[in-house]
Amino acid sequence: MIKKFAVQPSALTRWEDFRYVMEKLSFAQGRVLVRFPKSWSRALLDSLDVGDIERMKFVERLKKYKEDRMVSSRMPYDSSLDWITNAERSEPSAFDRIIVQEQKQRTANGVAFAPVGDVDEDFFETAREIRCMNNAENLTQAGAVFLHESSDAAIVDPYFRAGSPGYLSVLCRLAELALDAGKCKTFHVYTKSDYCAKDGGSNARDNFEKRLSRRSLSGFRVFFYFVDGTSSDQSFHARYLLTSKGGLRYDKGFDAPPEPQLVDISIIDKDLHAKLYSLYLEQTHEFSIADSWEWRF
């Protein structure tokens, strides 16, 4: 759902190009820049032929952009080869679009390449909402980029039942995506007090561990909060996946039923994300928590 853009560092040495391309990117817009190679920012700065004052403009913007629109590539980079060759050798799923310094528009490895002077609104077009079947893979893959770049996440779903196979399969798949990058180690799950199992979640925890038995869960934590929805004026009905980088709204929640149906998933805008992050991950909410579980591994 989040499109990944790879940009040749030398393509953005003009301030006008740098600002135009970078302002098209952000988690909230559904477009991010992949740091390829890992030292992408340094490579860009090394490509500049500008004075100190102009250089500082680039430095300051890069500090800001690192937080809200850049992601790790997790792809090998051979420094003995040029940037374009490395991009061509990358996995087909590594990038959705590639911007280069000077080259005719073309497609390689199934990915569109375009010189920076030719990119326009159409090149950056991204759907901020998708419709898909609500199986576990679709429901979770939409948030993969967020989970790879954040240290914790919140699942907000008033109807989340940890003991239900459909909900548990989604939770397990989300955990797998988080473990892939090794950065996101903590999940917070908010649901209604109606779904607090009498066994304190022990059966659901056992099934969670069994499904992830081939993965190391060392240091991983899942906190469940069972909200008494009648005791607070704050709304608790929408379903979200929230991280420090951004979030998604799920119109039908996090259940993967035996017979999947079409559902909508949309990217949350920047201002709403900030409010929701404060409520659920910084826990400024005023919900009455009837009970809670803590899974530590």
Side-chain angles (χ1 to χ4, degrees):
M1 186 166 186
I2 303 294
K3 283 192 175 180
K4 295 173 286 184
F5 287 72
V7 183
Q8 187 177 10
S10 58
L12 300 186
T13 54
R14 292 177 66 250
W15 175 254
E16 293 79 5
D17 293 331
F18 173 77
R19 185 173 63 180
Y20 176 75
V21 171
M22 297 304 292
E23 288 184 353
K24 292 294 182 185
L25 309 174
S26 74
F27 288 99
Q29 295 182 83
R31 300 181 288 263
V32 293
L33 181 140
V34 179
R35 289 191 296 268
F36 182 73
K38 183 179 180 180
S39 56
W40 184 89
S41 295
R42 172 52 55 191
L44 169 59
L45 293 173
D46 288 346
S47 299
L48 298 178
D49 184 14
V50 297
D52 291 343
I53 295 177
E54 185 82 355
R55 177 179 291 271
M56 282 307 300
K57 288 171 62 179
F58 281 87
V59 170
E60 291 303 316
R61 287 295 179 94
L62 285 169
K63 287 180 182 177
K64 172 188 174 183
Y65 294 154
K66 181 180 179 181
E67 298 301 319
D68 69 354
R69 65 200 68 190
M70 292 189 190
V71 301
S72 304
S73 71
R74 301 193 296 149
M75 293 290 297
Y77 188 91
D78 187 344
S79 57
S80 68
L81 302 174
D82 62 36
W83 190 91
I84 292 177
T85 302
N86 273 284
E88 290 174 333
R89 291 187 172 193
S90 63
E91 296 178 3
S93 61
F95 316 119
D96 295 294
R97 299 282 190 276
I98 296 176
I99 299 174
V100 296
Q101 182 179 5
E102 294 178 355
Q103 194 172 23
K104 292 181 179 179
Q105 289 201 10
R106 65 190 183 90
T107 301
N109 212 11
V111 181
F113 280 64
V116 67
D118 289 353
V119 298
D120 55 16
E121 296 292 327
D122 290 341
F123 187 82
F124 287 103
E125 185 175 356
T126 305
R128 297 188 69 255
E129 184 171 38
I130 62 171
R131 178 162 289 183
C132 61
M133 302 301 289
N134 61 343
N135 56 51
E137 187 62 23
N138 288 341
L139 291 176
T140 57
Q141 195 61 44
V145 171
F146 293 123
L147 293 171
H148 290 164
E149 297 298 318
S150 306
S151 59
D152 56 356
I155 297 168
V156 181
D157 185 340
Y159 305 100
F160 195 99
R161 298 183 293 279
S164 166
Y167 285 98
L168 187 63
S169 66
V170 172
L171 179 61
C172 289
R173 186 65 187 122
L174 287 170
E176 287 177 332
L177 290 171
L179 292 167
D180 284 344
K183 189 172 183 178
C184 186
K185 292 279 191 174
T186 304
F187 277 24
H188 304 268
V189 181
Y190 289 82
T191 184
K192 284 184 179 180
S193 57
D194 308 47
Y195 304 117
C196 183
K198 293 181 180 180
D199 68 354
S202 60
N203 187 56
R205 178 192 167 115
D206 288 345
N207 288 331
F208 180 83
E209 282 192 277
K210 287 177 182 177
R211 290 185 183 223
L212 296 174
S213 60
R214 296 184 179 182
R215 309 294 293 266
S216 172
L217 287 171
S218 177
F220 198 81
R221 303 178 300 171
V222 186
F223 298 95
F224 290 87
Y225 308 97
F226 297 93
V227 177
D228 181 355
T230 63
S231 61
S232 172
D233 293 333
Q234 289 186 346
S235 174
F236 182 58
H237 67 275
R239 290 91 151 191
Y240 304 106
L241 174 65
L242 303 169
T243 72
S244 61
K245 298 299 184 181
L248 303 171
R249 182 198 296 268
Y250 290 71
D251 74 327
K252 297 293 184 181
F254 293 86
D255 184 23
E259 297 182 6
Q261 57 184 285
L262 282 172
V263 298
D264 296 337
I265 304 173
S266 55
I267 300 171
I268 302 169
D269 70 36
K270 184 177 180 180
D271 291 340
L272 178 57
H273 166 257
K275 294 174 184 176
L276 294 171
Y277 182 84
S278 175
L279 282 176
Y280 293 106
L281 282 163
E282 295 179 338
Q283 300 189 342
T284 62
H285 63 77
E286 296 179 356
F287 293 135
S288 174
I289 305 299
D291 202 348
S292 61
W293 301 341
E294 179 179 339
W295 297 354
R296 288 181 180 267
F297 301 96

